[in-house]
Amino acid sequence: MTELTNARRVMDRCDILGRISEEPDRLTRRFATSAMRATNAAVAGWMRDAGMAVRQDSVGNLIGRYEARDIGAKTLLLGSHLDTVRDAGRYDGPLGVLVALALVGRLHARDERLPFALEVVAFADEEGLRYHTSYLGSRALAGLFDPRDLSRVDEDGVTMDEAIRAFDGDPAAIARERRDPETVLAYCEAHIEQGPVLERRGLPVGVVSVIMGQSRYDVAFTGQAGHAGTVPMDLRHDALCAAAEFTLTVEGLARRESGLVATVGQLTVAPGASNVIPGRATLSLDVRHLDDAARDTACRDLHNNATAIGAWRGVVVEWQPVQESATVPCSPDLGAALSRAIEAQGYEVITLPSGAGHDAVVMSALAPVVMLFVRCEGGVSHNPAESVAVEDVAVAIDVLDGFVRALHP
Ligand code: GLV
Ligand code: MN
Ligand code: MN
């Protein structure tokens, strides 16, 4: 099968998965939902076709294993995630899983075994949409799953514990999913760039140098609900106005501080009626910077800002950390090996940082990690307009092929 045929199949499969959604008119696939069950079933079939032994682990990750030439050899983990954000594109996550699968399919077709086993891991949760804490899948493999998260509740009141059981998982067994680092050679993830750099440089792929650290918070403003017609403006404790003032403060700080990006992405207002002064507003805050100290400082400043806004408005502020990850460097040695594989395909090599988080962040606690970015149109991502060229996918498969063949256990 030519590279392009292989790549077309990856694109077709991204299209198929892109239609498996919890919502009729847009792609939304949260952790441990029936949409994820259908997705895992489709990918499991493709894994078997590629000659892999397949299982779903106790948190819901789908894992396909292609044995090594020699018994007892180490394992190279390849993968990405199958969950999505709300109203997502088709490629963020699935592309990495399906490109890895295409690589194994090629080896299988040639009846070729490597001196290490390959496992394609389709992570069950990277985006954190359902429980607001991301990387549930990779945390299980890295031994970083926090059992306290099991009591988190989704928007329908379902606990994570209940959701995992309903997904044929076993919360009590998640701790045992931790891999022995001695058995893992490395973790390699292909992913769309989600930014404009490769497109600007006219290159199909690039090597990731570091993945930016991030902090996430839930912030709640509680004021006093009241009648929109009768309460004078100077006597109000409007929770939404406090949240709005804070949101603009977040934007202002991130515009001033070089390298800082900060986002309020979710806002809920209660009770939520046109003639009622908002009594409570809750929002999500996402803060990122390549420099961990600069991110810490920004988070402290924003916490102080929220407190000050609450104080002058007579609104109570609750500030709850949800998760934090430091900036993670990718392995320079593996990056050099990936670079050689890119050069061998005749392309200039560039390295670039990732502003997006990836399963590789968590997997770096287990093994050296390496990431290959694939150009995407306009750098658009977390958006249904995500678009990738089949020719670039073909290059990514060839590069990974060269990379794994040159890798020594
Ligand atoms: C993952 O998509 C992230 O939020 O960086
Ligand atoms: Mn994403
Ligand atoms: Mn992703």
Side-chain angles (χ1 to χ4, degrees):
M1 194 181 286
T2 69
E3 295 70 33
L4 214 52
T5 313
N6 237 335
R8 276 203 194 97
R9 189 150 77 175
V10 168
M11 301 295 277
D12 290 345
R13 289 174 170 179
C14 286
D15 290 349
I16 292 169
L17 299 187
R19 290 191 288 270
I20 307 179
S21 173
E22 293 178 64
E23 301 182 287
D25 301 325
R26 55 184 189 172
L27 173 56
T28 303
R29 215 160 47 219
R30 294 172 307 154
F31 172 63
T33 52
S34 54
M36 279 299 282
R37 186 184 290 280
T39 300
N40 277 6
V43 176
W46 300 332
M47 285 176 165
R48 285 190 198 98
D49 292 346
M52 309 185 91
V54 184
R55 71 187 178 92
Q56 185 177 300
D57 75 8
S58 57
V59 78
N61 296 320
L62 184 71
I63 303 174
R65 182 171 172 88
Y66 188 73
E67 286 300 343
R69 205 155 49 210
D70 312 311
I71 292 168
K74 288 191 175 192
T75 301
L76 174 68
L77 300 172
L78 298 143
S80 196
H81 57 99
L82 293 180
D83 68 316
T84 72
V85 291
R86 184 168 280 127
D87 200 10
R90 276 168 286 178
Y91 303 104
D92 173 2
L95 183 73
V97 174
L98 297 173
V99 162
L101 205 47
L103 165 70
V104 178
R106 246 197 210 188
L107 295 171
H108 179 57
R110 295 195 296 244
D111 203 15
E112 181 179 351
R113 299 277 163 182
L114 298 172
F116 43 85
L118 294 175
E119 283 190 27
V120 176
V121 188
F123 289 109
D125 169 273
E126 187 269 352
E127 304 285 8
L129 182 60
R130 186 165 182 184
Y131 290 104
H132 291 205
T133 174
S134 54
Y135 305 131
L136 292 176
S138 43
R139 281 182 203 281
L141 264 68
L144 296 174
F145 185 87
D146 185 346
R148 286 173 301 187
D149 283 338
L150 290 166
S151 55
R152 284 180 172 272
V153 177
D154 74 0
E155 60 211 43
D156 300 313
V158 180
T159 65
M160 190 189 295
D161 187 275
E162 288 163 341
I164 290 172
R165 285 176 204 281
F167 200 64
D168 303 325
D170 179 0
I174 294 174
R176 293 198 292 278
E177 298 297 347
R178 178 180 179 272
R179 297 299 174 95
D180 175 357
E182 291 299 311
T183 65
V184 180
L185 186 58
Y187 172 73
C188 172
E189 178 166 357
H191 202 285
I192 57 167
E193 181 200 337
Q194 307 181 277
V197 176
L198 290 170
E199 190 175 70
R200 271 195 208 143
R201 297 286 299 269
L203 293 169
V205 293
V207 179
V208 178
S209 50
V210 292
I211 306 169
M212 197 185 275
Q214 54 173 278
S215 303
R216 294 193 196 179
Y217 300 89
D218 282 338
V219 189
F221 296 87
T222 307
Q224 192 172 21
H227 197 293
T230 60
V231 183
M233 293 308 289
D234 60 341
L235 294 182
R236 294 185 180 202
H237 304 287
D238 185 323
L240 175 57
C241 288
E245 185 181 347
F246 176 68
T247 301
L248 292 178
T249 305
V250 170
E251 186 196 37
L253 180 72
R255 277 174 174 266
R256 279 194 309 280
E257 295 296 322
S258 160
L260 181 70
V261 285
T263 307
V264 173
Q266 236 178 354
L267 176 66
T268 53
V269 181
S274 59
N275 59 349
V276 181
I277 299 163
R280 186 168 163 90
T282 54
L283 57 82
S284 65
L285 172 64
D286 177 311
V287 183
R288 307 186 190 202
H289 200 294
L290 279 173
D291 178 345
D292 291 334
R295 173 172 49 83
D296 282 348
T297 303
C299 290
R300 262 199 310 277
D301 287 352
L302 290 173
H303 190 181
N304 290 338
N305 290 142
T307 307
I309 290 166
W312 91 257
R313 289 180 172 275
V315 167
V316 175
V317 180
E318 294 157 82
W319 180 270
Q320 196 187 349
V322 174
Q323 73 175 56
E324 185 179 354
S325 56
T327 290
V328 163
C330 292
S331 156
D333 289 347
L334 293 173
L338 200 54
S339 301
R340 286 193 291 277
I342 294 173
E343 273 163 358
Q345 294 300 321
Y347 295 101
E348 182 195 341
V349 175
I350 64 163
T351 58
L352 65 170
S354 173
H358 298 287
D359 294 296
V361 168
V362 173
M363 295 303 279
S364 70
L366 180 72
V369 299
V370 62
M371 284 195 74
L372 179 72
F373 269 173
V374 182
R375 168 169 56 188
C376 61
E377 196 179 320
V380 172
S381 184
H382 282 190
N383 183 314
E386 259 174 23
S387 177
V388 174
V390 65
E391 294 80 7
D392 293 355
V393 173
V395 173
I397 299 169
D398 281 339
V399 167
L400 284 188
D401 196 342
F403 170 73
V404 296
R405 283 146 150 276
L407 202 59
H408 297 291

